[in-house]
Amino acid sequence: MSHNHQPPWGQPPTGPNPYGPPAMPPSRPGWTRKRILIPAAALLFFIGIAIGAADDPARTETAADAKAAPVATVTATTTATATATPEPAVTETVTADPEPAPTVTKTKTVRVTVAPATGGGSDNSDDSGTSGGGGATYYANCTAVRAAGADPIRAGEPGYGRHLDRDGDGVGCE
């Protein structure tokens, strides 16, 4: 097989490899850079010293003294007073009677349902309709207990129910 045929994209380049490291430029000795930079830096240093020393100290002291000296300030104030005889003022005293504040009375009607006592024979069993309370009094909620003036209501008192005792300690509507 012969490798003399040309690829379809053209003739490969001849000369140095384009994908390799670039060729190093001809080297110069390192002292050539120092030969120029060091004298230039020294020249700038001496120019800065000369400019700083050229400042006139007498002029600097004069400017500092002018700033430090107190300056007199003159202020002129003119006051014009017009005097007129005021006429006596008429004074009238008015006493206001405040209106009484309206009285607001909030009334809430609470309906308490009392179940009639069931009279039975000589049955010794507890009434299964009550939940720990005794008697025929029933309160639907703590508002009804408070309206009847029976709060706090304790277990065993008429009208006590577990639905009135949230924490289960035997005292309802506390």
Side-chain angles (χ1 to χ4, degrees):
M1 211 161 158
S2 172
H3 292 286
N4 291 341
H5 71 29
Q6 188 175 9
W9 53 83
Q11 182 68 23
T14 58
N17 184 0
Y19 302 108
M24 295 297 291
S27 64
R28 295 189 309 203
W31 58 269
T32 56
R33 187 175 303 148
K34 293 176 188 172
R35 185 176 61 182
I36 296 171
L37 291 180
I38 291 175
L43 179 65
L44 289 174
F45 178 72
F46 288 121
I47 290 174
I49 290 175
I51 291 173
D55 192 17
D56 185 15
R59 186 176 56 175
T60 305
E61 290 174 7
T62 305
D65 290 340
K67 291 179 184 175
V71 177
T73 303
V74 178
T75 304
T77 305
T78 306
T79 305
T81 305
T83 307
T85 307
E87 300 207 11
V90 177
T91 305
E92 181 180 348
T93 304
V94 177
T95 305
D97 294 328
E99 293 183 22
T103 304
V104 177
T105 305
K106 185 175 182 182
T107 306
K108 184 174 183 180
T109 305
V110 178
R111 194 164 78 177
V112 178
T113 306
V114 179
T118 55
S122 59
D123 195 359
N124 288 341
S125 64
D126 286 341
D127 188 10
S128 62
T130 60
S131 56
T137 307
Y138 173 77
Y139 298 109
N141 52 30
C142 287
T143 306
V145 174
R146 288 186 188 96
D151 65 320
I153 188 166
R154 292 177 170 73
E157 293 180 1
Y160 174 82
R162 283 184 289 173
H163 67 282
L164 302 173
D165 189 5
R166 285 186 174 178
D167 54 0
D169 64 348
V171 180
C173 300
E174 45 191 357

